[in-house]
Amino acid sequence: MGATEKIARFIVKTGYKDIPRDAVEKAKRTALDCLAAALAGVVEPVSQTITAYIAKLGGPPQASVFGAGLKVSAPDAAMANGSIAHALDYDDCGVKIGHPSVLVLPAVLSLGEQVGASGQDTLAAYILGLEVEGKLALHADFKLMQARLNHQTWYGSVGAAAACAKLLRLDVAKTRMALGIAANFACGLSANHGSMAGAMAAGNACRNGVIAALLAQEGCTANPDIIEAKNGFYDTLVGAGHYDAERLAASLGNPFYIMSPGIGLKKYPSCYHTHRALDGVLQLIGEHRLSDKNIAEVEVGTSERALRVLAFSEPATPYQAKFSMPHCIAAAVVDHQVTLDTFTSHKLEDRGIVEARKKVHLSFPDVPIWPGLADVGPDTEFVGNPVTIRTTDGQSYSARVDIPRGDPALPLTDEELLAKYRECGRSQLHPDDIERSVGLVLGLETVADIGTLMAILRSPSLRKA
């Protein structure tokens, strides 16, 4: 029995009751976090662009588009919702995969709404989708910083297909077809980083997964051994000798990816490469009561590999500012916080932040600085960004945060997660609807029809008012 068949059998045979309760509880937290990013992302240019495009397509009202007061076909809703949830780069992070939830959850919610899935069915599909994409990533030697392909769309397409196959209750044979079709759809180029097309990578993966499962249900065929086949998924993405399909298949559910290595939730709405440095700078500012007026210089240790992602030293757009170490550090120095407001046009042009960017200097120390989620294994040893603040009176203060707040080893507290959701939702939802949606997500196993939640997220009450 090959790896693809083993994966398909695992998907078919694993139900909600077979998943550990701890995994279910973590999944509800990551789902709430992903929806927080989606609510905040509704107003972003890429979200508005794709929503307008999807609205013009029309089609059957099967599934809701976040914040649009609109229902469209399930594949189109998945495309829009995945893009919206990834628009701010505020969604969760995982070793080797990059952004796990946004590649799967919007597909599950969109197709789930169409088929009237229960909360338990939704959770099982979501966790299995995370499991397949996560284990595919863990057992491949894929170096994002050295690659021309956007690996997330590849892994995400197959993970979303796995989740959607589960929702449709496909048998093993058709689940194998769904995986093969999704692998055929997978694509994404690193050159689109920092653009709308880059943010749409998640939407593309979600749509691919929905369509692949629906086509398989109708009898469409693909290579039944797509994961391990020559010129198949792994062979094309990473090449012979750089993956272990059999070990992948043997690791499924043992433990679940969401349990180990686990999924990190973002404290700041910026690239994860900035988080350790931000934690260090804000720690020093708080400890020594520093202000931008008495800070002469901020030195941040980083690596050449990190700068392939943090590619915008002089960001031209608010989205590029998320991938700019100077902007993120400057905003922390001036405002003593980094929030959604940090990545708006007025903050990009704020004179104080623009001047503070000039005080930020990058260095390349000879220490194993964290190189990025896609470039390390779960047991890799690395450190955070060393930061040093020098003041106008000649003082010098240094810190290094190896584990940022939100990492699986130092998770956000329940209060921090709820605060993030409420902050992200406040421009879209009335407080009552924020709390209703929180209750539905955190009690998802008791929800009879996922459409109840999607009705709230489809039509933000503040925008209607």
mmCIF file with all atom_site columns, all heavy atoms in Angstrom, residues 283-298:
data_model
loop_
_atom_site.group_PDB
_atom_site.id
_atom_site.type_symbol
_atom_site.label_atom_id
_atom_site.label_alt_id
_atom_site.label_comp_id
_atom_site.label_asym_id
_atom_site.label_entity_id
_atom_site.label_seq_id
_atom_site.pdbx_PDB_ins_code
_atom_site.Cartn_x
_atom_site.Cartn_y
_atom_site.Cartn_z
_atom_site.occupancy
_atom_site.B_iso_or_equiv
_atom_site.pdbx_formal_charge
_atom_site.auth_seq_id
_atom_site.auth_comp_id
_atom_site.auth_asym_id
_atom_site.auth_atom_id
_atom_site.pdbx_PDB_model_num
ATOM 1   N N   . GLN A 1 283 ? 10.213 44.916 25.241 1.00 0.00 ? 283 GLN A N   1
ATOM 2   C CA  . GLN A 1 283 ? 10.666 44.560 26.591 1.00 0.00 ? 283 GLN A CA  1
ATOM 3   C C   . GLN A 1 283 ? 11.640 45.614 27.123 1.00 0.00 ? 283 GLN A C   1
ATOM 4   O O   . GLN A 1 283 ? 11.503 46.078 28.266 1.00 0.00 ? 283 GLN A O   1
ATOM 5   C CB  . GLN A 1 283 ? 11.345 43.200 26.562 1.00 0.00 ? 283 GLN A CB  1
ATOM 6   C CG  . GLN A 1 283 ? 11.988 42.765 27.873 1.00 0.00 ? 283 GLN A CG  1
ATOM 7   C CD  . GLN A 1 283 ? 12.753 41.455 27.715 1.00 0.00 ? 283 GLN A CD  1
ATOM 8   O OE1 . GLN A 1 283 ? 12.246 40.494 27.159 1.00 0.00 ? 283 GLN A OE1 1
ATOM 9   N NE2 . GLN A 1 283 ? 13.998 41.438 28.186 1.00 0.00 ? 283 GLN A NE2 1
ATOM 10  N N   . LEU A 1 284 ? 12.604 46.013 26.305 1.00 0.00 ? 284 LEU A N   1
ATOM 11  C CA  . LEU A 1 284 ? 13.584 47.016 26.731 1.00 0.00 ? 284 LEU A CA  1
ATOM 12  C C   . LEU A 1 284 ? 12.942 48.384 26.942 1.00 0.00 ? 284 LEU A C   1
ATOM 13  O O   . LEU A 1 284 ? 13.271 49.093 27.903 1.00 0.00 ? 284 LEU A O   1
ATOM 14  C CB  . LEU A 1 284 ? 14.701 47.117 25.697 1.00 0.00 ? 284 LEU A CB  1
ATOM 15  C CG  . LEU A 1 284 ? 15.626 45.902 25.572 1.00 0.00 ? 284 LEU A CG  1
ATOM 16  C CD1 . LEU A 1 284 ? 16.613 46.104 24.435 1.00 0.00 ? 284 LEU A CD1 1
ATOM 17  C CD2 . LEU A 1 284 ? 16.360 45.642 26.889 1.00 0.00 ? 284 LEU A CD2 1
ATOM 18  N N   . ILE A 1 285 ? 12.029 48.756 26.061 1.00 0.00 ? 285 ILE A N   1
ATOM 19  C CA  . ILE A 1 285 ? 11.353 50.053 26.208 1.00 0.00 ? 285 ILE A CA  1
ATOM 20  C C   . ILE A 1 285 ? 10.582 50.095 27.518 1.00 0.00 ? 285 ILE A C   1
ATOM 21  O O   . ILE A 1 285 ? 10.605 51.102 28.249 1.00 0.00 ? 285 ILE A O   1
ATOM 22  C CB  . ILE A 1 285 ? 10.417 50.295 25.003 1.00 0.00 ? 285 ILE A CB  1
ATOM 23  C CG1 . ILE A 1 285 ? 11.242 50.608 23.751 1.00 0.00 ? 285 ILE A CG1 1
ATOM 24  C CG2 . ILE A 1 285 ? 9.443  51.432 25.291 1.00 0.00 ? 285 ILE A CG2 1
ATOM 25  C CD1 . ILE A 1 285 ? 10.416 50.700 22.478 1.00 0.00 ? 285 ILE A CD1 1
ATOM 26  N N   . GLY A 1 286 ? 9.894  48.986 27.837 1.00 0.00 ? 286 GLY A N   1
ATOM 27  C CA  . GLY A 1 286 ? 9.129  48.941 29.078 1.00 0.00 ? 286 GLY A CA  1
ATOM 28  C C   . GLY A 1 286 ? 10.007 48.911 30.311 1.00 0.00 ? 286 GLY A C   1
ATOM 29  O O   . GLY A 1 286 ? 9.746  49.626 31.294 1.00 0.00 ? 286 GLY A O   1
ATOM 30  N N   . GLU A 1 287 ? 11.055 48.126 30.286 1.00 0.00 ? 287 GLU A N   1
ATOM 31  C CA  . GLU A 1 287 ? 11.932 47.990 31.460 1.00 0.00 ? 287 GLU A CA  1
ATOM 32  C C   . GLU A 1 287 ? 12.656 49.291 31.788 1.00 0.00 ? 287 GLU A C   1
ATOM 33  O O   . GLU A 1 287 ? 12.851 49.631 32.960 1.00 0.00 ? 287 GLU A O   1
ATOM 34  C CB  . GLU A 1 287 ? 12.961 46.883 31.215 1.00 0.00 ? 287 GLU A CB  1
ATOM 35  C CG  . GLU A 1 287 ? 12.393 45.474 31.295 1.00 0.00 ? 287 GLU A CG  1
ATOM 36  C CD  . GLU A 1 287 ? 13.453 44.426 31.011 1.00 0.00 ? 287 GLU A CD  1
ATOM 37  O OE1 . GLU A 1 287 ? 14.601 44.819 30.654 1.00 0.00 ? 287 GLU A OE1 1
ATOM 38  O OE2 . GLU A 1 287 ? 13.153 43.224 31.122 1.00 0.00 ? 287 GLU A OE2 1
ATOM 39  N N   . HIS A 1 288 ? 13.061 50.032 30.739 1.00 0.00 ? 288 HIS A N   1
ATOM 40  C CA  . HIS A 1 288 ? 13.909 51.212 30.963 1.00 0.00 ? 288 HIS A CA  1
ATOM 41  C C   . HIS A 1 288 ? 13.179 52.524 30.679 1.00 0.00 ? 288 HIS A C   1
ATOM 42  O O   . HIS A 1 288 ? 13.804 53.586 30.664 1.00 0.00 ? 288 HIS A O   1
ATOM 43  C CB  . HIS A 1 288 ? 15.175 51.093 30.103 1.00 0.00 ? 288 HIS A CB  1
ATOM 44  C CG  . HIS A 1 288 ? 15.963 49.849 30.379 1.00 0.00 ? 288 HIS A CG  1
ATOM 45  N ND1 . HIS A 1 288 ? 16.704 49.683 31.520 1.00 0.00 ? 288 HIS A ND1 1
ATOM 46  C CD2 . HIS A 1 288 ? 16.076 48.688 29.670 1.00 0.00 ? 288 HIS A CD2 1
ATOM 47  C CE1 . HIS A 1 288 ? 17.278 48.479 31.502 1.00 0.00 ? 288 HIS A CE1 1
ATOM 48  N NE2 . HIS A 1 288 ? 16.913 47.862 30.397 1.00 0.00 ? 288 HIS A NE2 1
ATOM 49  N N   . ARG A 1 289 ? 11.874 52.428 30.437 1.00 0.00 ? 289 ARG A N   1
ATOM 50  C CA  . ARG A 1 289 ? 11.032 53.615 30.223 1.00 0.00 ? 289 ARG A CA  1
ATOM 51  C C   . ARG A 1 289 ? 11.619 54.533 29.153 1.00 0.00 ? 289 ARG A C   1
ATOM 52  O O   . ARG A 1 289 ? 11.824 55.735 29.378 1.00 0.00 ? 289 ARG A O   1
ATOM 53  C CB  . ARG A 1 289 ? 10.827 54.347 31.546 1.00 0.00 ? 289 ARG A CB  1
ATOM 54  C CG  . ARG A 1 289 ? 10.138 53.489 32.599 1.00 0.00 ? 289 ARG A CG  1
ATOM 55  C CD  . ARG A 1 289 ? 9.840  54.259 33.861 1.00 0.00 ? 289 ARG A CD  1
ATOM 56  N NE  . ARG A 1 289 ? 9.174  53.418 34.845 1.00 0.00 ? 289 ARG A NE  1
ATOM 57  C CZ  . ARG A 1 289 ? 8.738  53.832 36.042 1.00 0.00 ? 289 ARG A CZ  1
ATOM 58  N NH1 . ARG A 1 289 ? 8.937  55.104 36.393 1.00 0.00 ? 289 ARG A NH1 1
ATOM 59  N NH2 . ARG A 1 289 ? 8.147  53.012 36.865 1.00 0.00 ? 289 ARG A NH2 1
ATOM 60  N N   . LEU A 1 290 ? 11.873 53.948 28.011 1.00 0.00 ? 290 LEU A N   1
ATOM 61  C CA  . LEU A 1 290 ? 12.480 54.693 26.907 1.00 0.00 ? 290 LEU A CA  1
ATOM 62  C C   . LEU A 1 290 ? 11.414 55.295 26.002 1.00 0.00 ? 290 LEU A C   1
ATOM 63  O O   . LEU A 1 290 ? 10.309 54.764 25.872 1.00 0.00 ? 290 LEU A O   1
ATOM 64  C CB  . LEU A 1 290 ? 13.384 53.761 26.097 1.00 0.00 ? 290 LEU A CB  1
ATOM 65  C CG  . LEU A 1 290 ? 14.487 53.034 26.875 1.00 0.00 ? 290 LEU A CG  1
ATOM 66  C CD1 . LEU A 1 290 ? 15.197 52.035 25.975 1.00 0.00 ? 290 LEU A CD1 1
ATOM 67  C CD2 . LEU A 1 290 ? 15.471 54.038 27.461 1.00 0.00 ? 290 LEU A CD2 1
ATOM 68  N N   . SER A 1 291 ? 11.757 56.385 25.352 1.00 0.00 ? 291 SER A N   1
ATOM 69  C CA  . SER A 1 291 ? 10.878 56.987 24.344 1.00 0.00 ? 291 SER A CA  1
ATOM 70  C C   . SER A 1 291 ? 11.685 57.195 23.070 1.00 0.00 ? 291 SER A C   1
ATOM 71  O O   . SER A 1 291 ? 12.925 57.132 23.078 1.00 0.00 ? 291 SER A O   1
ATOM 72  C CB  . SER A 1 291 ? 10.326 58.323 24.840 1.00 0.00 ? 291 SER A CB  1
ATOM 73  O OG  . SER A 1 291 ? 11.341 59.324 24.799 1.00 0.00 ? 291 SER A OG  1
ATOM 74  N N   . ASP A 1 292 ? 10.993 57.458 21.987 1.00 0.00 ? 292 ASP A N   1
ATOM 75  C CA  . ASP A 1 292 ? 11.696 57.657 20.722 1.00 0.00 ? 292 ASP A CA  1
ATOM 76  C C   . ASP A 1 292 ? 12.619 58.872 20.787 1.00 0.00 ? 292 ASP A C   1
ATOM 77  O O   . ASP A 1 292 ? 13.627 58.932 20.084 1.00 0.00 ? 292 ASP A O   1
ATOM 78  C CB  . ASP A 1 292 ? 10.702 57.805 19.567 1.00 0.00 ? 292 ASP A CB  1
ATOM 79  C CG  . ASP A 1 292 ? 9.769  58.985 19.735 1.00 0.00 ? 292 ASP A CG  1
ATOM 80  O OD1 . ASP A 1 292 ? 9.157  59.086 20.810 1.00 0.00 ? 292 ASP A OD1 1
ATOM 81  O OD2 . ASP A 1 292 ? 9.638  59.785 18.795 1.00 0.00 ? 292 ASP A OD2 1
ATOM 82  N N   . LYS A 1 293 ? 12.297 59.811 21.683 1.00 0.00 ? 293 LYS A N   1
ATOM 83  C CA  . LYS A 1 293 ? 13.117 61.024 21.778 1.00 0.00 ? 293 LYS A CA  1
ATOM 84  C C   . LYS A 1 293 ? 14.507 60.736 22.362 1.00 0.00 ? 293 LYS A C   1
ATOM 85  O O   . LYS A 1 293 ? 15.485 61.397 22.001 1.00 0.00 ? 293 LYS A O   1
ATOM 86  C CB  . LYS A 1 293 ? 12.406 62.070 22.642 1.00 0.00 ? 293 LYS A CB  1
ATOM 87  C CG  . LYS A 1 293 ? 11.048 62.480 22.114 1.00 0.00 ? 293 LYS A CG  1
ATOM 88  C CD  . LYS A 1 293 ? 11.154 63.172 20.746 1.00 0.00 ? 293 LYS A CD  1
ATOM 89  C CE  . LYS A 1 293 ? 9.818  63.746 20.310 1.00 0.00 ? 293 LYS A CE  1
ATOM 90  N NZ  . LYS A 1 293 ? 8.803  62.707 20.054 1.00 0.00 ? 293 LYS A NZ  1
ATOM 91  N N   . ASN A 1 294 ? 14.598 59.759 23.276 1.00 0.00 ? 294 ASN A N   1
ATOM 92  C CA  . ASN A 1 294 ? 15.911 59.479 23.860 1.00 0.00 ? 294 ASN A CA  1
ATOM 93  C C   . ASN A 1 294 ? 16.550 58.201 23.323 1.00 0.00 ? 294 ASN A C   1
ATOM 94  O O   . ASN A 1 294 ? 17.541 57.726 23.866 1.00 0.00 ? 294 ASN A O   1
ATOM 95  C CB  . ASN A 1 294 ? 15.842 59.439 25.394 1.00 0.00 ? 294 ASN A CB  1
ATOM 96  C CG  . ASN A 1 294 ? 14.873 58.386 25.911 1.00 0.00 ? 294 ASN A CG  1
ATOM 97  O OD1 . ASN A 1 294 ? 14.545 57.436 25.228 1.00 0.00 ? 294 ASN A OD1 1
ATOM 98  N ND2 . ASN A 1 294 ? 14.411 58.588 27.140 1.00 0.00 ? 294 ASN A ND2 1
ATOM 99  N N   . ILE A 1 295 ? 15.994 57.672 22.236 1.00 0.00 ? 295 ILE A N   1
ATOM 100 C CA  . ILE A 1 295 ? 16.608 56.521 21.568 1.00 0.00 ? 295 ILE A CA  1
ATOM 101 C C   . ILE A 1 295 ? 17.395 57.027 20.368 1.00 0.00 ? 295 ILE A C   1
ATOM 102 O O   . ILE A 1 295 ? 16.846 57.682 19.474 1.00 0.00 ? 295 ILE A O   1
ATOM 103 C CB  . ILE A 1 295 ? 15.552 55.501 21.125 1.00 0.00 ? 295 ILE A CB  1
ATOM 104 C CG1 . ILE A 1 295 ? 14.934 54.826 22.365 1.00 0.00 ? 295 ILE A CG1 1
ATOM 105 C CG2 . ILE A 1 295 ? 16.166 54.442 20.211 1.00 0.00 ? 295 ILE A CG2 1
ATOM 106 C CD1 . ILE A 1 295 ? 13.821 53.845 22.041 1.00 0.00 ? 295 ILE A CD1 1
ATOM 107 N N   . ALA A 1 296 ? 18.680 56.728 20.352 1.00 0.00 ? 296 ALA A N   1
ATOM 108 C CA  . ALA A 1 296 ? 19.541 57.169 19.249 1.00 0.00 ? 296 ALA A CA  1
ATOM 109 C C   . ALA A 1 296 ? 19.635 56.122 18.151 1.00 0.00 ? 296 ALA A C   1
ATOM 110 O O   . ALA A 1 296 ? 19.739 56.455 16.959 1.00 0.00 ? 296 ALA A O   1
ATOM 111 C CB  . ALA A 1 296 ? 20.945 57.486 19.775 1.00 0.00 ? 296 ALA A CB  1
ATOM 112 N N   . GLU A 1 297 ? 19.599 54.848 18.545 1.00 0.00 ? 297 GLU A N   1
ATOM 113 C CA  . GLU A 1 297 ? 19.796 53.780 17.561 1.00 0.00 ? 297 GLU A CA  1
ATOM 114 C C   . GLU A 1 297 ? 19.191 52.475 18.091 1.00 0.00 ? 297 GLU A C   1
ATOM 115 O O   . GLU A 1 297 ? 19.232 52.207 19.284 1.00 0.00 ? 297 GLU A O   1
ATOM 116 C CB  . GLU A 1 297 ? 21.289 53.578 17.293 1.00 0.00 ? 297 GLU A CB  1
ATOM 117 C CG  . GLU A 1 297 ? 21.594 52.466 16.284 1.00 0.00 ? 297 GLU A CG  1
ATOM 118 C CD  . GLU A 1 297 ? 23.089 52.220 16.136 1.00 0.00 ? 297 GLU A CD  1
ATOM 119 O OE1 . GLU A 1 297 ? 23.809 52.300 17.163 1.00 0.00 ? 297 GLU A OE1 1
ATOM 120 O OE2 . GLU A 1 297 ? 23.526 51.926 15.021 1.00 0.00 ? 297 GLU A OE2 1
ATOM 121 N N   . VAL A 1 298 ? 18.662 51.695 17.178 1.00 0.00 ? 298 VAL A N   1
ATOM 122 C CA  . VAL A 1 298 ? 18.216 50.336 17.503 1.00 0.00 ? 298 VAL A CA  1
ATOM 123 C C   . VAL A 1 298 ? 18.913 49.387 16.539 1.00 0.00 ? 298 VAL A C   1
ATOM 124 O O   . VAL A 1 298 ? 18.739 49.485 15.323 1.00 0.00 ? 298 VAL A O   1
ATOM 125 C CB  . VAL A 1 298 ? 16.691 50.178 17.375 1.00 0.00 ? 298 VAL A CB  1
ATOM 126 C CG1 . VAL A 1 298 ? 16.284 48.755 17.795 1.00 0.00 ? 298 VAL A CG1 1
ATOM 127 C CG2 . VAL A 1 298 ? 15.959 51.207 18.218 1.00 0.00 ? 298 VAL A CG2 1
#
